[in-house]
Amino acid sequence: MFETQEEMEAFIGTFEACSLPKPHWTHHAHLVVGLWYLSRHSPDEALRVVRQRIRAYNEATGTANTDSSGYHETLTRFFLLGIQAHRIQHPCQPLPAVLALLLQSPMAEKEYPLRFYSRECLLSAAARQAWVEPDIMGWQP
C-alpha cells in the first residue's frame, strides 16, 4: 500500500472528502496524512491544515472532538515534528520511499509517544487541547 505517489494521493483524496472508511483511519493513516501535508506546506501551515482536516473528518464520521475523544493537539504536533525530522533525514528520496522508511521507524508504533509521556499526561484534556511538553524524558525530533 502507498507504493506510488498516486496511491498516496488517492488516499488523501478520500480523507479530504471525509469518505475514508473509519476502520482505515489508523495510526499509519495519520502518518501518511502528516507526511503528505508536510511535503506540500511549511510545518506551521501543515499543522493548521492537518488540525482542520482531522477535526472535519472526525465530525463527518461521528467522532466528537472533545476533551476525551477525537482530535488530539499534542499527538498531532508530536508526530508532525517527528515526521518533519524524518523528512529532513531523507531529502533526496521520493515521497513513497520516505513513507516506507517512516512506517519502518519507531514512529510507526502507536505507543511510541509513551516513551516520552506518561499515559496520564498524554490522555489529559490539557494535552488534547494544546501542546504539552513530554513529562518523562526530553524529546528532540
Side-chain angles (χ1 to χ4, degrees):
M1 189 171 186
F2 306 120
E3 294 179 11
T4 68
Q5 185 87 12
E6 292 76 21
E7 289 174 340
M8 292 179 72
E9 191 169 345
F11 176 82
I12 294 297
T14 61
F15 169 70
E16 289 179 347
C18 298
S19 61
L20 180 70
K22 201 169 182 177
H24 295 179
W25 187 231
T26 63
H27 174 62
H28 284 186
H30 282 75
L31 296 178
V32 173
V33 164
L35 179 61
W36 182 265
Y37 290 110
L38 282 166
S39 72
R40 284 157 173 71
H41 301 285
S42 70
D44 288 343
E45 182 65 11
L47 173 61
R48 188 192 66 73
V49 172
V50 168
R51 180 188 293 134
Q52 180 257 333
R53 296 220 185 262
I54 289 176
R55 286 179 174 158
Y57 175 81
N58 287 344
E59 291 170 10
T61 59
T63 301
N65 295 305
T66 69
D67 286 349
S68 60
S69 73
Y71 180 76
H72 194 296
E73 181 72 12
T74 296
L75 283 175
T76 300
R77 286 187 187 206
F78 177 86
F79 280 108
L80 286 176
L81 289 166
I83 293 166
Q84 181 64 9
H86 176 81
R87 284 186 67 236
I88 290 168
Q89 293 174 354
H90 306 285
C92 299
Q93 297 285 333
L95 199 58
V98 175
L99 177 60
L101 292 168
L102 178 63
L103 296 178
Q104 295 170 12
S105 77
M107 279 187 289
E109 301 167 20
K110 189 175 181 178
E111 301 290 319
Y112 178 66
L114 293 174
R115 295 179 184 185
F116 310 97
Y117 289 93
S118 66
R119 190 171 296 277
E120 179 181 43
C121 177
L122 198 56
L123 298 180
S124 70
R128 193 172 281 281
Q129 295 168 359
W131 170 253
V132 173
E133 291 288 333
D135 65 335
I136 292 178
M137 60 188 284
W139 175 75
Q140 295 296 316

